[in-house]
Amino acid sequence: MTDTATPALPGGVDVHVVGVVHLYAHEGSDIVALRGVDLDIAAGEMVALLGPSGMGKSTLLRLLAGLMRPSAGQVWVGDAELSRMNGKDLQELRATEVSYVLQETAHNLLPFATAAQNVWFAQQGGRRRRRRPTPDPVELLGMLGLADVAQRRVAELPRGEQQQVALAAGVGSSPRLLLADEPTSQLESAASAQVVSLLQSINHRLGTTVVLVTHDPLVAGAFPRSVIIRDGRVGAEGRQGEQFAVVDGSGSLQLPPDVLERFPPMTRLRVLRHADGIDLRPVDGPDQPVDGPDQ
């Protein structure tokens, strides 16, 4: 059932999204899901894609997994540009380098198998395609703090522990990129915190690059870096709890949400340049500065 060799930790992989546009056809017209997204993620980073439903977060995650091709632009995972890969190569990529964990645990797990058996089953595609041995399922679960559930059937576990097993199975084949779509959305706060802690452990112990989609600011705040997706664009970025404006590929300045509440779209702002950077001041209304990015 298991490989006895102890595998070397694969580490993470960098991700680059360049000018990505994605359209969905709907009732004879096109719906724009992503509008010129540029995003760089370093190998071994943990990044949360934050925003309400319908803003393009899950679309971006599926593009990173190679489950869809962008309408325009490029998606790079390491040295692989996904739109140039055929179906067979994309399947191999998902079996060896990229793992995609769905929101519903029922779609990720075999409910009447044990946690260890689920990890073993998830390893099979990668085991057939790679030279690097896969970790022993029980040892992996123990490494991630899940030793107590290794021999328990998934159907017997609470929903939060099921989600943790799904994530453990997701890294069973030692992928270098773990993609998780709303893994905490159906969990209470305590179980949600346990899932976030497991993702941090996966990142710390295995070096895996982790990208998570969430609509919960508390979950995103537990990640070192969060990227707000708003109306199909990168709207702002947070690091260690601090929010930053982002200049996108078109030269537009994407402001944090709290600033947008003060200055909604179409507000005219005067740009005041000085030695330390810039100030943005509304042309109409109270003349209060909004600090911009340093030059």
Side-chain angles (χ1 to χ4, degrees):
M1 174 176 167
T2 61
D3 290 343
T4 57
T6 301
L9 298 181
V13 66
D14 56 324
V15 174
H16 303 285
V17 178
V18 184
V20 162
V21 175
H22 193 73
L23 308 176
Y24 288 106
H26 180 70
E27 297 181 352
S29 61
D30 290 332
I31 297 175
V32 182
L34 297 173
R35 309 168 184 267
V37 171
D38 295 294
L39 180 63
D40 292 320
I41 299 173
E45 261 198 294
M46 290 187 68
V47 178
L49 304 179
L50 172 65
S53 298
M55 293 292 110
K57 307 183 305 299
S58 293
T59 296
L60 180 55
L61 205 71
R62 289 175 66 83
L63 291 172
L64 294 180
L67 296 171
M68 302 187 303
R69 299 180 188 273
S71 303
Q74 297 178 324
V75 178
W76 293 82
V77 175
D79 295 330
E81 205 282 277
L82 303 194
S83 66
R84 298 181 181 179
M85 301 175 71
N86 59 35
K88 180 180 178 181
D89 290 339
L90 287 170
Q91 286 181 351
E92 182 169 352
L93 184 81
R94 287 192 293 271
T96 57
E97 299 297 312
V98 178
S99 180
Y100 181 78
V101 179
L102 299 168
Q103 179 177 347
E104 290 286 346
T105 55
H107 296 156
N108 299 305
L109 298 171
L110 302 172
F112 295 104
T114 66
Q117 288 169 337
N118 269 276
V119 174
W120 177 86
F121 184 80
Q123 292 173 333
Q124 297 314 296
R127 185 175 284 121
R128 290 191 298 268
R129 290 177 169 92
R130 76 195 320 162
R131 299 174 184 173
R132 187 169 67 238
T134 53
D136 177 89
V138 175
E139 290 181 3
L140 176 65
L141 289 165
M143 181 189 302
L144 298 177
L146 299 173
D148 291 345
V149 304
Q151 303 304 334
R152 293 182 61 187
R153 292 194 308 168
V154 167
E156 300 171 349
L157 300 175
R159 186 185 294 270
E161 289 185 348
Q162 289 182 8
Q163 191 62 272
Q164 291 179 73
V165 172
L167 292 168
V171 295
S173 60
S174 300
R176 301 178 68 196
L177 173 63
L178 174 64
L179 308 172
D181 193 358
E182 294 276 11
T184 65
S185 64
Q186 300 179 22
L187 303 179
E188 296 180 354
S189 57
S192 175
Q194 290 173 346
V195 168
V196 171
S197 177
L198 178 61
L199 287 167
Q200 293 169 337
S201 180
I202 287 170
N203 176 257
H204 175 71
R205 291 179 176 273
L206 305 180
T208 312
T209 305
V210 176
V211 181
L212 166 140
V213 159
T214 183
H215 64 269
D216 188 342
L218 293 178
V219 171
F223 276 54
R225 179 184 175 195
S226 61
V227 175
I228 296 174
I229 305 295
R230 184 176 59 235
D231 296 325
R233 298 179 181 272
V234 174
E237 186 168 319
R239 291 179 184 259
Q240 305 295 338
E242 183 177 1
Q243 290 293 315
F244 296 90
V246 175
V247 180
D248 65 21
S250 68
S252 300
L253 180 65
Q254 304 295 325
L255 299 173
D258 61 315
V259 178
L260 279 177
E261 290 178 3
R262 292 178 58 192
F263 306 114
M266 306 309 296
T267 300
R268 293 185 301 157
L269 298 173
R270 181 171 286 115
V271 180
L272 303 178
R273 301 165 179 82
H274 51 83
D276 296 326
I278 63 172
D279 289 340
L280 302 177
R281 296 177 184 262
V283 175
D284 305 308
D287 194 25
Q288 298 295 324
V290 179
D291 291 335
D294 290 341
Q295 293 182 332

